[in-house]
Amino acid sequence: MPRGHYSLHDPHDHTPLGEEHFHCATGPSGWRYVSQIVNPSGDHIGSVDLTLDELGRPIRLELHASAWQVRGAALDGVTWVRTDPTGEHATEGNVPAHAFTGASPAFLIATARLLRPALGAGAVRTRLVAFTPPVLAPRTLDQSWALVKSTPHATDNAPLIADEYQVNDLETGEQHTVHIAGDVVLSAPGIELESLESPPSTFP
């Protein structure tokens, strides 16, 4: 069960945004990721709880940020309920999309797992609903993911495969690179892996 923490920063000006302390695990029914997020002062500002099925579809999502809460799942596309800080109002949403995304590294693992682009086979397109802090307002976006490189690294056990993905925002044309090994993000815009207590899990 990988356990560790990521540092989070603004991908444009590199302002520190805090840390995300996580643990995750694969199993016969899929994958689960749980994390707690703190700001640079160490104050708790959010959490992520994401469960995928064996095909990479989100069967349970719970996000918290600044007293906002989102619960969602893949159901007739993706469906969610977003609750305001007072708890007095909840709004439901449904979009014909494939999965969720957001600021957490968990969503990069989830999208790569869902799409599974083949090396050299070109980009795979997907539609996602993004929830980003601090208010977790939903936004639908289209991305394409291409696997451009897989690099084995020797370890004490089996070789660790680091995959490099090129991710394109199909609305803005913005491109960025994501590096993933198993179920851990090595680096991505605004995300750096700072500690890891055990090796990444490999998906069956």
Side-chain angles (χ1 to χ4, degrees):
M1 179 186 293
R3 182 184 301 269
H5 83 277
Y6 298 101
S7 62
L8 309 176
H9 58 267
D10 187 296
H12 302 291
D13 63 13
H14 302 288
T15 301
L17 300 178
E19 296 181 344
E20 184 161 338
H21 297 258
F22 73 95
H23 62 273
C24 53
T26 57
S29 60
W31 181 71
R32 186 179 182 195
Y33 176 101
V34 177
S35 71
Q36 301 293 325
I37 304 161
V38 297
N39 65 16
S41 301
D43 301 318
H44 181 268
I45 57 172
S47 64
V48 179
D49 190 340
L50 174 65
T51 303
L52 308 180
D53 68 10
E54 67 276 9
L55 298 178
R57 298 171 298 194
I59 56 176
R60 180 178 180 273
L61 170 68
E62 185 169 330
L63 292 177
H64 293 267
S66 301
W68 292 89
Q69 175 182 288
V70 168
R71 295 173 184 256
L75 182 66
D76 297 325
V78 293
T79 300
W80 67 90
V81 175
R82 176 173 173 263
T83 305
D84 65 302
T86 67
E88 296 178 2
H89 306 285
T91 56
E92 297 184 8
N94 173 264
V95 169
H98 301 106
F100 301 108
T101 190
S104 172
F107 295 113
L108 300 176
I109 301 291
T111 304
R113 179 64 179 160
L114 177 70
L115 301 180
R116 304 183 205 187
L119 184 63
V124 180
R125 179 172 175 155
T126 186
R127 174 160 289 178
L128 304 168
V129 175
F131 298 104
T132 52
V135 296
L136 303 180
R139 181 172 70 93
T140 303
L141 55 88
D142 294 310
Q143 289 183 342
S144 69
W145 282 59
L147 179 59
V148 297
K149 188 186 299 182
S150 288
T151 305
H153 296 274
T155 69
D156 293 339
N157 300 310
L160 180 66
I161 305 298
D163 291 326
E164 178 182 329
Y165 296 91
Q166 180 177 294
V167 181
N168 293 329
D169 185 314
L170 298 180
E171 179 182 358
T172 65
E174 182 180 358
Q175 296 184 352
H176 61 268
T177 301
V178 175
H179 294 90
I180 293 174
D183 60 350
V184 172
V185 175
L186 303 178
S187 67
I191 298 166
E192 293 292 339
L193 179 65
E194 298 292 348
S195 70
L196 187 63
E197 294 181 10
S198 56
S201 301
T202 55
F203 289 102

Short mmCIF file of all heavy atoms in Angstrom, two decimals, residues 1-3 6 20 22-35 48-61 100 104-114 116 180-185 199-204:
data_model
loop_
_atom_site.label_atom_id
_atom_site.label_comp_id
_atom_site.label_asym_id
_atom_site.label_seq_id
_atom_site.Cartn_x
_atom_site.Cartn_y
_atom_site.Cartn_z
N MET A 1 0.85 -1.19 0.00
CA MET A 1 0.00 0.00 0.00
C MET A 1 0.89 1.24 0.00
O MET A 1 1.46 1.60 1.03
CB MET A 1 -0.93 0.01 1.22
CG MET A 1 -1.82 1.25 1.28
SD MET A 1 -2.79 1.36 2.79
CE MET A 1 -3.89 -0.03 2.59
N PRO A 2 1.03 1.91 -1.14
CA PRO A 2 1.83 3.14 -1.17
C PRO A 2 1.27 4.20 -0.22
O PRO A 2 0.06 4.39 -0.12
CB PRO A 2 1.71 3.59 -2.63
CG PRO A 2 1.39 2.36 -3.39
CD PRO A 2 0.54 1.53 -2.47
N ARG A 3 2.18 4.86 0.46
CA ARG A 3 1.82 5.92 1.39
C ARG A 3 2.92 6.98 1.32
O ARG A 3 4.09 6.66 1.27
CB ARG A 3 1.72 5.36 2.81
CG ARG A 3 1.30 6.37 3.87
CD ARG A 3 1.33 5.72 5.25
NE ARG A 3 0.46 4.58 5.35
CZ ARG A 3 -0.81 4.63 5.76
NH1 ARG A 3 -1.34 5.79 6.12
NH2 ARG A 3 -1.54 3.54 5.83
N TYR A 6 2.63 14.46 -1.42
CA TYR A 6 2.97 15.32 -2.55
C TYR A 6 3.05 16.76 -2.05
O TYR A 6 2.29 17.16 -1.16
CB TYR A 6 1.88 15.27 -3.62
CG TYR A 6 1.64 13.92 -4.26
CD1 TYR A 6 0.58 13.12 -3.88
CD2 TYR A 6 2.48 13.46 -5.28
CE1 TYR A 6 0.34 11.89 -4.48
CE2 TYR A 6 2.25 12.23 -5.90
CZ TYR A 6 1.18 11.46 -5.49
OH TYR A 6 0.95 10.24 -6.09
N GLU A 20 -0.32 17.20 0.10
CA GLU A 20 -1.38 16.18 0.11
C GLU A 20 -0.77 14.88 0.61
O GLU A 20 0.13 14.31 -0.01
CB GLU A 20 -1.97 16.01 -1.29
CG GLU A 20 -3.12 15.03 -1.34
CD GLU A 20 -4.00 15.19 -2.57
OE1 GLU A 20 -4.00 16.29 -3.19
OE2 GLU A 20 -4.70 14.22 -2.91
N PHE A 22 -1.20 11.01 1.44
CA PHE A 22 -2.09 10.02 0.82
C PHE A 22 -1.68 8.59 1.17
O PHE A 22 -0.55 8.31 1.56
CB PHE A 22 -2.05 10.18 -0.70
CG PHE A 22 -0.76 9.69 -1.33
CD1 PHE A 22 -0.65 8.40 -1.83
CD2 PHE A 22 0.37 10.51 -1.39
CE1 PHE A 22 0.54 7.94 -2.39
CE2 PHE A 22 1.56 10.07 -1.95
CZ PHE A 22 1.64 8.78 -2.45
N HIS A 23 -2.64 7.71 1.01
CA HIS A 23 -2.35 6.28 0.86
C HIS A 23 -3.33 5.72 -0.16
O HIS A 23 -4.44 6.24 -0.33
CB HIS A 23 -2.39 5.51 2.18
CG HIS A 23 -3.71 5.51 2.88
ND1 HIS A 23 -4.10 6.51 3.74
CD2 HIS A 23 -4.75 4.64 2.83
CE1 HIS A 23 -5.30 6.24 4.22
NE2 HIS A 23 -5.72 5.11 3.67
N CYS A 24 -2.90 4.69 -0.86
CA CYS A 24 -3.73 4.11 -1.92
C CYS A 24 -3.42 2.63 -2.03
O CYS A 24 -2.39 2.16 -1.54
CB CYS A 24 -3.51 4.83 -3.25
SG CYS A 24 -1.79 4.92 -3.79
N ALA A 25 -4.32 1.90 -2.67
CA ALA A 25 -4.15 0.46 -2.76
C ALA A 25 -4.96 -0.10 -3.92
O ALA A 25 -6.07 0.37 -4.19
CB ALA A 25 -4.57 -0.23 -1.46
N THR A 26 -4.39 -1.09 -4.59
CA THR A 26 -5.13 -1.84 -5.60
C THR A 26 -5.75 -3.07 -4.94
O THR A 26 -5.30 -3.53 -3.90
CB THR A 26 -4.21 -2.29 -6.74
OG1 THR A 26 -3.13 -3.07 -6.19
CG2 THR A 26 -3.63 -1.09 -7.48
N GLY A 27 -6.79 -3.58 -5.56
CA GLY A 27 -7.45 -4.77 -5.06
C GLY A 27 -8.18 -5.46 -6.19
O GLY A 27 -8.21 -4.97 -7.33
N PRO A 28 -8.81 -6.60 -5.91
CA PRO A 28 -9.50 -7.34 -6.97
C PRO A 28 -10.64 -6.57 -7.60
O PRO A 28 -11.02 -6.84 -8.74
CB PRO A 28 -10.00 -8.60 -6.24
CG PRO A 28 -10.00 -8.23 -4.79
CD PRO A 28 -8.88 -7.27 -4.60
N SER A 29 -11.19 -5.60 -6.87
CA SER A 29 -12.33 -4.85 -7.40
C SER A 29 -11.93 -3.49 -7.96
O SER A 29 -12.78 -2.74 -8.44
CB SER A 29 -13.40 -4.68 -6.31
OG SER A 29 -12.86 -3.97 -5.21
N GLY A 30 -10.63 -3.11 -7.88
CA GLY A 30 -10.23 -1.83 -8.43
C GLY A 30 -9.14 -1.15 -7.61
O GLY A 30 -8.16 -1.80 -7.22
N TRP A 31 -9.34 0.13 -7.32
CA TRP A 31 -8.30 0.94 -6.67
C TRP A 31 -8.96 2.00 -5.80
O TRP A 31 -10.01 2.56 -6.16
CB TRP A 31 -7.44 1.61 -7.74
CG TRP A 31 -6.32 2.47 -7.26
CD1 TRP A 31 -5.16 2.05 -6.67
CD2 TRP A 31 -6.20 3.90 -7.38
NE1 TRP A 31 -4.34 3.14 -6.41
CE2 TRP A 31 -4.96 4.29 -6.84
CE3 TRP A 31 -7.05 4.89 -7.89
CZ2 TRP A 31 -4.53 5.61 -6.79
CZ3 TRP A 31 -6.62 6.21 -7.85
CH2 TRP A 31 -5.37 6.56 -7.30
N ARG A 32 -8.34 2.28 -4.63
CA ARG A 32 -8.86 3.33 -3.75
C ARG A 32 -7.71 4.25 -3.34
O ARG A 32 -6.61 3.78 -3.04
CB ARG A 32 -9.52 2.74 -2.52
CG ARG A 32 -10.21 3.82 -1.66
CD ARG A 32 -10.89 3.26 -0.44
NE ARG A 32 -11.58 4.32 0.31
CZ ARG A 32 -12.01 4.19 1.55
NH1 ARG A 32 -11.86 3.05 2.20
NH2 ARG A 32 -12.61 5.21 2.16
N TYR A 33 -8.03 5.54 -3.29
CA TYR A 33 -7.07 6.57 -2.91
C TYR A 33 -7.72 7.45 -1.85
O TYR A 33 -8.85 7.92 -2.04
CB TYR A 33 -6.71 7.41 -4.15
CG TYR A 33 -5.79 8.59 -3.90
CD1 TYR A 33 -4.43 8.50 -4.20
CD2 TYR A 33 -6.28 9.80 -3.43
CE1 TYR A 33 -3.58 9.59 -4.01
CE2 TYR A 33 -5.44 10.89 -3.23
CZ TYR A 33 -4.10 10.77 -3.52
OH TYR A 33 -3.26 11.86 -3.33
N VAL A 34 -7.00 7.68 -0.75
CA VAL A 34 -7.51 8.52 0.34
C VAL A 34 -6.41 9.51 0.71
O VAL A 34 -5.24 9.12 0.85
CB VAL A 34 -7.89 7.67 1.57
CG1 VAL A 34 -8.35 8.55 2.72
CG2 VAL A 34 -8.98 6.66 1.21
N SER A 35 -6.77 10.78 0.89
CA SER A 35 -5.76 11.77 1.24
C SER A 35 -6.33 12.87 2.11
O SER A 35 -7.55 13.10 2.13
CB SER A 35 -5.14 12.39 -0.03
OG SER A 35 -6.08 13.23 -0.68
N VAL A 48 -9.66 13.93 -0.03
CA VAL A 48 -10.07 13.21 -1.23
C VAL A 48 -10.28 11.75 -0.86
O VAL A 48 -9.45 11.17 -0.16
CB VAL A 48 -9.01 13.31 -2.35
CG1 VAL A 48 -9.44 12.53 -3.58
CG2 VAL A 48 -8.71 14.76 -2.70
N ASP A 49 -11.37 11.17 -1.34
CA ASP A 49 -11.61 9.74 -1.19
C ASP A 49 -12.19 9.27 -2.52
O ASP A 49 -13.33 9.59 -2.86
CB ASP A 49 -12.58 9.47 -0.03
CG ASP A 49 -12.68 7.99 0.32
OD1 ASP A 49 -12.31 7.14 -0.53
OD2 ASP A 49 -13.13 7.68 1.43
N LEU A 50 -11.39 8.52 -3.30
CA LEU A 50 -11.78 8.11 -4.64
C LEU A 50 -11.62 6.61 -4.78
O LEU A 50 -10.56 6.06 -4.45
CB LEU A 50 -10.91 8.83 -5.68
CG LEU A 50 -11.09 8.40 -7.14
CD1 LEU A 50 -12.48 8.73 -7.65
CD2 LEU A 50 -10.03 9.03 -8.02
N THR A 51 -12.66 5.95 -5.27
CA THR A 51 -12.61 4.51 -5.52
C THR A 51 -12.96 4.26 -6.99
O THR A 51 -13.96 4.76 -7.50
CB THR A 51 -13.60 3.75 -4.64
OG1 THR A 51 -13.32 4.03 -3.26
CG2 THR A 51 -13.50 2.25 -4.87
N LEU A 52 -12.10 3.47 -7.66
CA LEU A 52 -12.33 3.09 -9.05
C LEU A 52 -12.67 1.61 -9.12
O LEU A 52 -12.22 0.83 -8.28
CB LEU A 52 -11.06 3.32 -9.88
CG LEU A 52 -10.39 4.68 -9.83
CD1 LEU A 52 -9.15 4.67 -10.73
CD2 LEU A 52 -11.34 5.79 -10.23
N ASP A 53 -13.45 1.24 -10.14
CA ASP A 53 -13.65 -0.19 -10.38
C ASP A 53 -12.49 -0.73 -11.22
O ASP A 53 -11.53 0.00 -11.54
CB ASP A 53 -15.01 -0.46 -11.02
CG ASP A 53 -15.13 0.07 -12.45
OD1 ASP A 53 -14.12 0.48 -13.04
OD2 ASP A 53 -16.27 0.05 -12.98
N GLU A 54 -12.54 -2.01 -11.60
CA GLU A 54 -11.40 -2.62 -12.28
C GLU A 54 -11.16 -2.03 -13.67
O GLU A 54 -10.07 -2.18 -14.23
CB GLU A 54 -11.59 -4.14 -12.37
CG GLU A 54 -12.73 -4.59 -13.27
CD GLU A 54 -14.08 -4.59 -12.57
OE1 GLU A 54 -14.18 -4.07 -11.44
OE2 GLU A 54 -15.04 -5.12 -13.17
N LEU A 55 -12.15 -1.33 -14.22
CA LEU A 55 -11.99 -0.69 -15.52
C LEU A 55 -11.55 0.77 -15.41
O LEU A 55 -11.37 1.44 -16.43
CB LEU A 55 -13.30 -0.78 -16.32
CG LEU A 55 -13.79 -2.20 -16.64
CD1 LEU A 55 -15.12 -2.14 -17.39
CD2 LEU A 55 -12.75 -2.96 -17.45
N GLY A 56 -11.41 1.27 -14.19
CA GLY A 56 -10.98 2.64 -13.99
C GLY A 56 -12.11 3.64 -13.87
O GLY A 56 -11.86 4.85 -13.82
N ARG A 57 -13.35 3.16 -13.81
CA ARG A 57 -14.49 4.07 -13.68
C ARG A 57 -14.68 4.47 -12.22
O ARG A 57 -14.49 3.65 -11.32
CB ARG A 57 -15.76 3.41 -14.21
CG ARG A 57 -15.70 3.06 -15.68
CD ARG A 57 -16.87 2.22 -16.12
NE ARG A 57 -16.91 0.93 -15.41
CZ ARG A 57 -17.67 -0.10 -15.79
NH1 ARG A 57 -18.44 0.00 -16.85
NH2 ARG A 57 -17.66 -1.22 -15.09
N PRO A 58 -15.05 5.74 -11.97
CA PRO A 58 -15.23 6.18 -10.58
C PRO A 58 -16.54 5.65 -10.00
O PRO A 58 -17.63 6.05 -10.42
CB PRO A 58 -15.26 7.71 -10.70
CG PRO A 58 -15.78 7.96 -12.08
CD PRO A 58 -15.28 6.83 -12.94
N ILE A 59 -16.44 4.75 -9.04
CA ILE A 59 -17.65 4.22 -8.42
C ILE A 59 -17.98 4.95 -7.12
O ILE A 59 -19.09 4.83 -6.60
CB ILE A 59 -17.55 2.70 -8.17
CG1 ILE A 59 -16.34 2.35 -7.32
CG2 ILE A 59 -17.49 1.96 -9.49
CD1 ILE A 59 -16.25 0.87 -6.97
N ARG A 60 -17.02 5.75 -6.62
CA ARG A 60 -17.30 6.56 -5.44
C ARG A 60 -16.29 7.68 -5.35
O ARG A 60 -15.08 7.45 -5.43
CB ARG A 60 -17.24 5.71 -4.16
CG ARG A 60 -17.52 6.49 -2.88
CD ARG A 60 -17.49 5.57 -1.67
NE ARG A 60 -17.76 6.28 -0.44
CZ ARG A 60 -16.81 6.89 0.29
NH1 ARG A 60 -15.56 6.84 -0.10
NH2 ARG A 60 -17.13 7.51 1.41
N LEU A 61 -16.78 8.91 -5.21
CA LEU A 61 -15.91 10.07 -5.01
C LEU A 61 -16.47 10.91 -3.89
O LEU A 61 -17.68 11.19 -3.86
CB LEU A 61 -15.85 10.92 -6.30
CG LEU A 61 -15.17 12.29 -6.14
CD1 LEU A 61 -13.68 12.13 -5.86
CD2 LEU A 61 -15.40 13.16 -7.37
N PHE A 100 -14.22 11.99 -13.41
CA PHE A 100 -13.99 13.26 -12.73
C PHE A 100 -12.51 13.62 -12.80
O PHE A 100 -11.64 12.76 -13.00
CB PHE A 100 -14.40 13.16 -11.26
CG PHE A 100 -15.84 12.81 -11.04
CD1 PHE A 100 -16.21 11.55 -10.58
CD2 PHE A 100 -16.85 13.73 -11.30
CE1 PHE A 100 -17.54 11.22 -10.37
CE2 PHE A 100 -18.18 13.41 -11.10
CZ PHE A 100 -18.53 12.15 -10.63
N SER A 104 -6.20 17.08 -7.26
CA SER A 104 -5.48 15.99 -6.62
C SER A 104 -4.76 15.10 -7.63
O SER A 104 -5.28 14.82 -8.71
CB SER A 104 -6.45 15.13 -5.81
OG SER A 104 -5.80 13.97 -5.32
N PRO A 105 -3.55 14.61 -7.27
CA PRO A 105 -2.88 13.62 -8.12
C PRO A 105 -3.71 12.37 -8.37
O PRO A 105 -3.51 11.67 -9.36
CB PRO A 105 -1.61 13.29 -7.33
CG PRO A 105 -1.39 14.46 -6.43
CD PRO A 105 -2.74 14.99 -6.10
N ALA A 106 -4.66 12.08 -7.48
CA ALA A 106 -5.50 10.90 -7.64
C ALA A 106 -6.18 10.88 -9.00
O ALA A 106 -6.36 9.83 -9.62
CB ALA A 106 -6.56 10.86 -6.53
N PHE A 107 -6.58 12.06 -9.47
CA PHE A 107 -7.34 12.11 -10.73
C PHE A 107 -6.45 11.83 -11.94
O PHE A 107 -6.94 11.35 -12.96
CB PHE A 107 -8.03 13.47 -10.86
CG PHE A 107 -9.07 13.71 -9.81
CD1 PHE A 107 -8.90 14.68 -8.84
CD2 PHE A 107 -10.24 12.95 -9.78
CE1 PHE A 107 -9.87 14.90 -7.87
CE2 PHE A 107 -11.21 13.15 -8.82
CZ PHE A 107 -11.03 14.13 -7.86
N LEU A 108 -5.16 12.11 -11.84
CA LEU A 108 -4.25 11.77 -12.93
C LEU A 108 -4.10 10.26 -13.03
O LEU A 108 -4.12 9.69 -14.13
CB LEU A 108 -2.90 12.44 -12.71
CG LEU A 108 -2.92 13.97 -12.65
CD1 LEU A 108 -1.53 14.51 -12.33
CD2 LEU A 108 -3.44 14.56 -13.96
N ILE A 109 -3.95 9.60 -11.89
CA ILE A 109 -3.89 8.14 -11.88
C ILE A 109 -5.18 7.56 -12.45
O ILE A 109 -5.18 6.65 -13.27
CB ILE A 109 -3.67 7.61 -10.45
CG1 ILE A 109 -2.38 8.16 -9.84
CG2 ILE A 109 -3.69 6.08 -10.42
CD1 ILE A 109 -1.13 7.65 -10.48
N ALA A 110 -6.31 8.13 -12.01
CA ALA A 110 -7.61 7.61 -12.43
C ALA A 110 -7.82 7.76 -13.93
O ALA A 110 -8.31 6.84 -14.59
CB ALA A 110 -8.72 8.33 -11.66
N THR A 111 -7.44 8.90 -14.49
CA THR A 111 -7.64 9.11 -15.91
C THR A 111 -6.74 8.21 -16.74
O THR A 111 -7.16 7.62 -17.74
CB THR A 111 -7.40 10.59 -16.28
OG1 THR A 111 -8.24 11.41 -15.47
CG2 THR A 111 -7.72 10.84 -17.74
N ALA A 112 -5.49 8.08 -16.32
CA ALA A 112 -4.57 7.18 -17.02
C ALA A 112 -5.08 5.74 -16.97
O ALA A 112 -5.00 4.99 -17.96
CB ALA A 112 -3.18 7.27 -16.41
N ARG A 113 -5.64 5.36 -15.82
CA ARG A 113 -6.16 4.00 -15.66
C ARG A 113 -7.40 3.79 -16.53
O ARG A 113 -7.59 2.72 -17.12
CB ARG A 113 -6.50 3.76 -14.18
CG ARG A 113 -7.08 2.40 -13.86
CD ARG A 113 -6.09 1.30 -14.16
NE ARG A 113 -6.64 -0.02 -13.84
CZ ARG A 113 -6.16 -1.15 -14.33
NH1 ARG A 113 -5.13 -1.13 -15.16
NH2 ARG A 113 -6.68 -2.31 -14.01
N LEU A 114 -8.25 4.80 -16.62
CA LEU A 114 -9.46 4.69 -17.42
C LEU A 114 -9.15 4.59 -18.91
O LEU A 114 -9.71 3.76 -19.63
CB LEU A 114 -10.36 5.90 -17.15
CG LEU A 114 -11.65 5.99 -17.96
CD1 LEU A 114 -12.63 4.91 -17.51
CD2 LEU A 114 -12.28 7.37 -17.80
N ARG A 116 -5.96 4.20 -20.54
CA ARG A 116 -4.93 3.21 -20.88
C ARG A 116 -4.43 3.37 -22.31
O ARG A 116 -4.48 2.42 -23.11
CB ARG A 116 -5.45 1.80 -20.66
CG ARG A 116 -5.94 1.56 -19.25
CD ARG A 116 -6.38 0.14 -19.03
NE ARG A 116 -7.35 0.08 -17.95
CZ ARG A 116 -7.83 -1.03 -17.43
NH1 ARG A 116 -7.43 -2.20 -17.89
NH2 ARG A 116 -8.71 -0.99 -16.46
N ILE A 180 3.98 9.00 -14.35
CA ILE A 180 3.30 8.10 -13.42
C ILE A 180 4.04 6.78 -13.36
O ILE A 180 4.48 6.26 -14.39
CB ILE A 180 1.84 7.86 -13.88
CG1 ILE A 180 1.02 9.16 -13.77
CG2 ILE A 180 1.18 6.75 -13.06
CD1 ILE A 180 -0.39 9.04 -14.33
N ALA A 181 4.18 6.23 -12.15
CA ALA A 181 4.69 4.88 -11.97
C ALA A 181 3.67 4.10 -11.16
O ALA A 181 3.40 4.45 -10.00
CB ALA A 181 6.04 4.90 -11.27
N GLY A 182 3.08 3.09 -11.75
CA GLY A 182 2.05 2.32 -11.05
C GLY A 182 0.89 3.19 -10.66
O GLY A 182 0.24 3.79 -11.51
N ASP A 183 0.63 3.32 -9.35
CA ASP A 183 -0.47 4.16 -8.89
C ASP A 183 0.03 5.38 -8.13
O ASP A 183 -0.64 5.89 -7.22
CB ASP A 183 -1.46 3.37 -8.04
CG ASP A 183 -0.85 2.75 -6.79
OD1 ASP A 183 0.39 2.77 -6.66
OD2 ASP A 183 -1.62 2.24 -5.95
N VAL A 184 1.22 5.87 -8.53
CA VAL A 184 1.80 7.06 -7.91
C VAL A 184 2.23 8.04 -9.00
O VAL A 184 2.84 7.64 -10.00
CB VAL A 184 3.01 6.69 -7.03
CG1 VAL A 184 3.75 7.93 -6.54
CG2 VAL A 184 2.56 5.84 -5.84
N VAL A 185 1.90 9.32 -8.82
CA VAL A 185 2.36 10.37 -9.73
C VAL A 185 3.76 10.78 -9.32
O VAL A 185 3.99 11.16 -8.16
CB VAL A 185 1.41 11.58 -9.69
CG1 VAL A 185 1.97 12.73 -10.55
CG2 VAL A 185 0.02 11.20 -10.18
N PRO A 199 6.89 0.95 -2.35
CA PRO A 199 6.85 1.10 -3.81
C PRO A 199 5.42 1.24 -4.33
O PRO A 199 4.47 0.80 -3.71
CB PRO A 199 7.48 -0.22 -4.32
CG PRO A 199 8.28 -0.73 -3.17
CD PRO A 199 7.53 -0.32 -1.94
N PRO A 200 5.28 1.86 -5.51
CA PRO A 200 3.94 1.96 -6.10
C PRO A 200 3.36 0.58 -6.37
O PRO A 200 4.08 -0.40 -6.61
CB PRO A 200 4.20 2.69 -7.43
CG PRO A 200 5.51 3.39 -7.24
CD PRO A 200 6.30 2.54 -6.32
N SER A 201 2.03 0.50 -6.31
CA SER A 201 1.34 -0.73 -6.69
C SER A 201 1.25 -0.81 -8.20
O SER A 201 1.21 0.22 -8.89
CB SER A 201 -0.07 -0.77 -6.09
OG SER A 201 -0.02 -0.68 -4.68
N THR A 202 1.19 -2.01 -8.74
CA THR A 202 0.95 -2.19 -10.16
C THR A 202 -0.47 -2.71 -10.36
O THR A 202 -0.97 -3.52 -9.57
CB THR A 202 1.95 -3.20 -10.77
OG1 THR A 202 1.88 -4.43 -10.04
CG2 THR A 202 3.36 -2.64 -10.70
N PHE A 203 -1.11 -2.20 -11.39
CA PHE A 203 -2.49 -2.64 -11.66
C PHE A 203 -2.46 -4.01 -12.35
O PHE A 203 -1.59 -4.27 -13.19
CB PHE A 203 -3.19 -1.63 -12.55
CG PHE A 203 -3.51 -0.33 -11.85
CD1 PHE A 203 -2.72 0.80 -12.06
CD2 PHE A 203 -4.58 -0.24 -10.99
CE1 PHE A 203 -3.01 1.99 -11.42
CE2 PHE A 203 -4.87 0.94 -10.33
CZ PHE A 203 -4.08 2.05 -10.56
N PRO A 204 -3.41 -4.87 -12.04
CA PRO A 204 -3.45 -6.17 -12.69
C PRO A 204 -3.78 -6.06 -14.17
O PRO A 204 -4.36 -5.08 -14.60
CB PRO A 204 -4.56 -6.91 -11.92
CG PRO A 204 -5.41 -5.83 -11.34
CD PRO A 204 -4.48 -4.69 -11.04
#
